[in-house]
Amino acid sequence: MIVAPKIRGFICTTAHPEGCAKHVAEQIAVVKKGGLIENGPKKVLVIGSSTGYGLSSRIAAAFGAQASTIGVFFERPGEDDRTATAGWYNSAAFENEAKAAGLYARSFNGDAYSDTIKTEVIDAIKTDLGQVDCVIYSLASPRRTHPKTAEVFKSVLKPIGEVYTNKNLNTTTGVVNEISIEPAQGDDVAQTVAVMGGEDWEMWMDALIAADVLAPGVQTVSYSYIGPEVTWPIYKNGTIGKAKEDLEKVQQALDAKLAPLNGKAWVSVNKALVTQASSAIPVVPLYISLLYKVMKAEGTHEDTIEQMDRLFRDRLYSGNPQPDEAGRIRVDDWEMKPEVQALVGQRWTEVNTENLSEYGDFAGYQASFLRLFGFGLEGVDYTAETNPNVPVPSIAS
Ligand code: NAD
């Protein structure tokens, strides 16, 4: 079939197999340019490894440090007349590239919140790798079925306490208007914490510790975001921010649990970037458009791969992780530079539909969004017939 983007609001319901493969290849090239990560991880488990920050983490570990990787994700395979999700094609491409480079790679497609997937992954570690020395936790999900109670929790993106009104960008039309978001009600906060907080990360680490599959000196990292004050009501101080606070509490608990192994748990605060998860957050896409313009002009713009390359190379495995006062790794440091934030903040007050292309990088936003689904990549013939039914080699069909 010939595959074109089909955009519905903030999601694209199609993905291009060759385009996704090209996107993965471009990310690999970025990491390889930096050379070998000295003393990098050797055996890495990435939970949420198919898109966004998790995919880039897997690529940075494999192609930066020659690590064996196990990836866990929840994606839909393709059929003869229907495309897979982008994360499926990314994972297929990743495994093919890893194999060509002589690197071990195995993937699991299923619900990472479940006990079943945890058991399957632990069995694979035991059989194939013995132990892992790095665990990346990069899930972003709107819901979670609790493995013990079967209760289904739903995460919401809402302010807490009062209505939040601010500028918002329609990422399809480029119209800048105002949005008002009603505050969290009932158990919204508890539900969001149950999905995006730290409980599942801790369950994974407890299970890995109990199975004795963590190597001495193991590091585990989960990702968070802070951002500028203009987004705090919907992010840092909103329902998702409460979940991230919970993640930090779990990080401290995990530090204690990993101490006998000389291990370390981290929360890494990453930059705001276009991913499938972030495009669903109100207000944030307008901020990202303004941020991209400023950081591209300054020459400091990074995508997920540059961020994760820096995380592994310059922080986790450099011997100098440079934690902040709360013990977090900050690869959002360039985003949060006062001069960057001052300019973005000034433009935030002035931006409207008419001047968006002057103050913001809306074209860059849209291009980044399409690239997530394999569209707009150089060298891919989008007019050619393509087979949507692509296997992930390690997953039997
Ligand atoms: P993403 O949507 O690109 O990736 C989510 C991953 O989770 C995918 O691999 C998906 O398959 C997997 N997943 C979702 N539900 C699953 C399930 N039930 N079982 C197994 N796998 C499942 O998201 P992202 O933006 O890369 O987010 C990853 C983390 O990074 C999140 O914690 C997010 O808050 C954080 N973060 C994101 C940004 C940003 O701007 N995008 C910034 C800072 C931190």
Side-chain angles (χ1 to χ4, degrees):
M1 62 192 281
I2 291 174
V3 182
K6 265 192 207 154
I7 297 170
R8 305 262 176 279
F10 50 78
I11 55 167
C12 179
T13 60
T14 53
H16 199 283
E18 283 82 18
C20 289
K22 184 76 196 307
H23 193 203
V24 168
E26 288 186 2
Q27 293 198 39
I28 291 171
V30 169
V31 173
K32 278 188 169 169
K33 228 165 85 183
L36 187 71
I37 299 173
E38 302 279 345
N39 306 313
K42 296 282 163 272
K43 297 170 183 179
V44 181
L45 168 62
V46 183
I47 303 156
S49 65
S50 54
T51 57
Y53 274 115
L55 171 67
S56 295
S57 305
R58 192 177 192 185
I59 292 172
F63 292 90
Q66 302 284 299
S68 300
T69 60
I70 291 182
V72 183
F73 47 77
F74 211 2
E75 303 290 348
R76 191 191 67 228
E79 293 163 27
D80 291 341
D81 56 354
R82 186 186 186 197
T83 69
T85 49
W88 180 269
Y89 292 141
N90 292 338
S91 303
F94 173 85
E95 281 200 12
N96 289 330
E97 296 269 10
K99 194 173 169 207
L103 298 170
Y104 169 96
R106 186 165 167 188
S107 305
F108 291 83
N109 187 34
D111 183 6
Y113 296 123
S114 70
D115 286 344
T116 318
I117 282 285
K118 290 183 178 76
T119 307
E120 282 178 24
V121 168
I122 287 170
D123 286 349
I125 295 173
K126 280 184 184 162
T127 313
D128 296 358
L129 303 176
Q131 292 183 321
V132 290
D133 57 12
C134 177
V135 180
I136 302 294
Y137 188 88
S138 186
L139 290 189
S141 173
R143 70 185 64 80
R144 168 178 175 224
T145 304
H146 197 279
K148 309 296 173 203
T149 63
E151 187 172 350
V152 179
F153 296 103
K154 288 194 179 129
S155 125
V156 296
L157 294 158
K158 290 185 185 173
I160 293 173
E162 52 190 41
V163 176
Y164 170 54
T165 302
N166 214 323
K167 290 182 177 178
N168 189 50
L169 170 65
N170 180 321
T171 52
T172 311
T173 60
V175 170
V176 177
N177 53 17
E178 216 172 61
I179 188 170
S180 286
I181 308 157
E182 291 297 316
Q185 287 186 334
D187 64 352
D188 278 349
V189 170
Q191 293 263 339
T192 306
V193 170
V195 181
M196 290 298 288
E199 189 186 24
D200 183 59
W201 183 25
E202 192 165 16
M203 283 180 163
W204 268 101
M205 296 309 294
D206 284 346
L208 294 162
I209 291 168
D212 193 23
V213 292
L214 296 179
V218 64
Q219 300 203 67
T220 183
V221 192
S222 190
Y223 299 139
S224 187
Y225 183 64
I226 295 176
E229 277 186 46
V230 67
T231 64
W232 282 5
I234 190 69
Y235 203 97
K236 180 175 167 291
N237 297 338
T239 49
I240 182 73
K242 291 291 164 203
K244 295 300 185 187
E245 276 173 24
D246 186 62
L247 208 62
E248 290 188 28
K249 277 192 218 132
V250 165
Q251 176 267 319
Q252 287 169 16
L254 289 177
D255 251 0
K257 289 181 182 183
L258 294 175
L261 285 168
N262 247 331
K264 180 83 190 87
W266 295 104
V267 166
S268 172
V269 184
N270 300 343
K271 178 189 177 189
L273 281 172
V274 184
T275 65
Q276 293 187 41
S278 72
S279 47
I281 308 174
V283 182
V284 167
L286 180 58
Y287 167 71
I288 288 181
S289 300
L290 301 186
L291 181 71
Y292 277 22
K293 182 92 172 191
V294 172
M295 293 188 81
K296 283 179 183 175
E298 212 199 35
T300 53
H301 175 69
E302 298 172 296
D303 209 331
T304 52
I305 193 60
E306 288 85 2
Q307 279 269 294
M308 293 300 93
D309 187 66
R310 202 149 66 84
L311 173 66
F312 277 81
R313 199 179 290 280
D314 296 350
R315 305 298 166 92
L316 289 176
Y317 294 96
S318 68
N320 184 19
Q322 305 163 49
D324 68 8
E325 69 296 341
R328 300 169 297 214
I329 290 179
R330 301 299 295 266
V331 284
D332 67 337
D333 48 351
W334 298 351
E335 167 184 357
M336 298 314 291
K337 275 198 321 198
E339 53 275 34
V340 169
Q341 286 301 321
L343 196 49
V344 173
Q346 183 198 326
R347 291 179 179 177
W348 181 272
T349 59
E350 293 166 12
V351 70
N352 56 38
T353 307
E354 287 67 45
N355 64 24
L356 177 62
S357 55
E358 183 191 341
Y359 288 156
D361 182 24
F362 181 48
Y365 184 97
Q366 284 190 310
S368 293
F369 180 77
L370 284 170
R371 285 167 64 82
L372 299 177
F373 303 93
F375 298 107
L377 283 113
E378 222 174 279
V380 177
D381 181 359
Y382 291 98
T383 62
E385 285 282 336
T386 179
N387 175 10
N389 203 346
V390 174
V392 174
S394 74
I395 299 176
S397 54

